[in-house]
Amino acid sequence: MRPVIINCDPGIDDSLAIMLAVLSKRLKVVGITTTFGNASVEHTTENALGIVEYLGADIPVAKGANGPIKGRRINANYVHGNNGLAGIRLPHRAKAVAESAEDFIIDRVKAGDVDTIISTAPLTNIAKAFMKDARAMRRLKKLVIMGGTVTEPGSVTRVAEFNFFGDPYAAEYVLHTGVYKLMIPRDITQRVIFKPSDFSKFAPGKRSELAAKLIRFYQRFYMNVLDLDGNPLPDVLTVGIVIKPGLIKTKRMQMDVETGGDYTRGMSVVERRSGEYQRKAVTNVDVAVSIKPDEFLDYFIRTISSRKTTYK
Ligand code: BDR
Ligand code: CA
């Protein structure tokens, strides 16, 4: 099992991503680090603890940043509900560990307990970990990031995707660290759409009921505001790709993030010009450029519907 840390802001799709990671039995979730993003870090931490307990899992949760390194804090209550989880409160006894998210990340990476970090949220915790102990962070093998967009429009603004817009400075910093980075941008996530007709594919059961309730809430924004046929599941897809790398094809690219700009804050700026410009590009990331949507959706629905009740 691949040992991973999930850096997230649950968040409806983040919570479903945690469910998929745990139930897949293909990943060992060494820890979950939380951040502001879809809701305040208080709410996202509560939600992470709740989903872990709901799954019967034993995974430490470390609370992280409640705002970006620079600039104002955002949220996505209009998509995920006021508490970030469609107003659903999942009971839990456990508390977050005493360590901050950035220290938790540094310590686990330094100890060699984790080889991949999956980030489905603003990158503040990760940037802080690199700023604090770049040497330790060099032991990390892979950073998989849901964020940015190459050819699709943005989500929060015309050009900026939510996770990059949430902390553009952190995104720009992390994208220029030496560690290997795989990007899952909006281009890919928007191609995997969970449609209203897909609900009937869940086998009956408590877990399917919770997943369906969450997705129904989430779907409203995508169908009513963006006029889509259903909703994407960006963070779930990101975890799915770590479990099944064959779902995507990638291309090496040069990607930077706009940290200022009156209209372009948080925009991912990619070298897409041809010829000499391509040849001279200072590439820093692998970017997912194609996806097998049906294979992913089948796997997601099957795993959530599985009869396994606990993690252990
Ligand atoms: C990202 O924005 C958040 O609202 C989702 O949880 C996901 O991480 C998609 O752009
Ligand atoms: Ca997220």
Side-chain angles (χ1 to χ4, degrees):
M1 288 210 281
R2 180 189 287 268
V4 302
I5 287 177
I6 303 180
N7 179 65
C8 56
D9 57 342
I12 291 177
D13 56 334
D14 301 79
S15 300
L16 294 166
I18 295 170
M19 273 171 105
L20 183 66
V22 168
L23 296 170
S24 75
K25 296 237 170 187
R26 301 267 295 275
L27 303 178
K28 178 172 167 37
V29 185
V30 172
I32 294 174
T33 54
T34 58
T35 173
F36 76 96
N38 291 320
S40 69
V41 75
E42 272 70 37
H43 277 135
T44 62
T45 307
E46 288 295 300
N47 296 339
L49 289 163
I51 201 86
V52 166
E53 187 145 330
Y54 177 84
L55 291 165
D58 184 12
I59 301 171
V61 173
K63 187 172 167 185
N66 197 23
I69 292 173
K70 288 181 186 172
R72 274 193 311 119
R73 185 177 81 197
I74 57 163
N75 69 58
N77 293 346
Y78 54 99
V79 185
H80 297 258
N82 282 337
N83 75 337
L85 201 60
I88 297 171
R89 283 177 202 283
L90 297 172
H92 57 87
R93 276 157 301 178
K95 289 201 170 89
V97 297
E99 253 180 328
S100 69
E102 75 220 54
D103 287 341
F104 182 90
I105 290 170
I106 292 168
D107 288 349
R108 293 292 104 76
V109 172
K110 206 191 246 172
D113 292 345
V114 55
D115 69 34
T116 300
I117 296 180
I118 307 173
S119 184
T120 61
L123 285 155
T124 322
N125 295 333
I126 316 279
K128 283 184 172 173
F130 273 101
M131 286 170 188
K132 198 163 180 179
D133 198 341
R135 200 162 150 202
M137 291 301 286
R138 251 184 258 137
R139 289 199 69 174
L140 188 66
K141 292 211 179 77
K142 199 170 184 177
L143 188 49
V144 182
I145 299 170
M146 193 283 122
T149 186
V150 180
T151 55
E152 278 279 313
S155 49
V156 189
T157 70
R158 285 171 278 178
V159 294
E161 181 278 332
F162 183 84
N163 292 337
F164 276 19
F165 187 80
D167 193 341
Y169 182 82
E172 169 70 353
Y173 192 92
V174 169
L175 257 49
H176 292 91
T177 53
V179 68
Y180 171 82
K181 288 167 285 289
L182 170 64
M183 309 298 306
I184 313 300
R186 247 174 87 74
D187 311 61
I188 289 301
T189 60
Q190 294 298 105
R191 279 184 224 158
V192 181
I193 299 297
F194 186 101
K195 301 204 175 69
S197 56
D198 289 322
F199 285 112
S200 62
K201 296 179 187 160
F202 281 124
K206 282 233 165 331
R207 216 160 38 222
S208 302
E209 270 169 37
L210 176 63
K213 210 165 165 184
L214 290 170
I215 297 173
R216 272 209 178 87
F217 187 96
Y218 194 55
Q219 204 164 71
R220 294 189 316 197
F221 171 80
Y222 287 96
M223 295 188 72
N224 299 343
V225 179
L226 298 182
D227 291 348
L228 301 186
D229 293 341
N231 62 282
L233 291 162
D235 300 346
V236 197
L237 180 64
T238 303
V239 164
I241 289 167
V242 176
I243 298 168
K244 287 173 164 274
L247 285 171
I248 54 163
K249 286 203 170 66
T250 62
K251 191 170 179 246
R252 195 92 194 129
M253 294 187 193
Q254 175 177 354
M255 184 184 283
D256 305 285
V257 183
E258 178 58 72
T259 54
D262 288 336
Y263 300 104
T264 54
R265 182 170 186 266
M267 178 183 183
S268 36
V269 180
V270 176
E271 179 56 273
R272 294 173 61 214
R273 293 173 292 179
S274 59
E276 198 64 11
Y277 294 108
Q278 272 307 311
R279 288 190 286 279
K280 285 193 177 148
V282 185
T283 57
N284 55 338
V285 288
D286 272 354
V287 181
V289 291
S290 76
I291 178 75
K292 296 176 181 162
D294 295 342
E295 193 177 327
F296 164 74
L297 281 172
D298 284 354
Y299 178 65
F300 165 63
I301 293 169
R302 214 174 344 109
T303 308
I304 296 294
S305 300
S306 72
R307 289 184 172 275
K308 267 174 268 158
T309 48
T310 59
Y311 178 59
K312 290 158 213 152

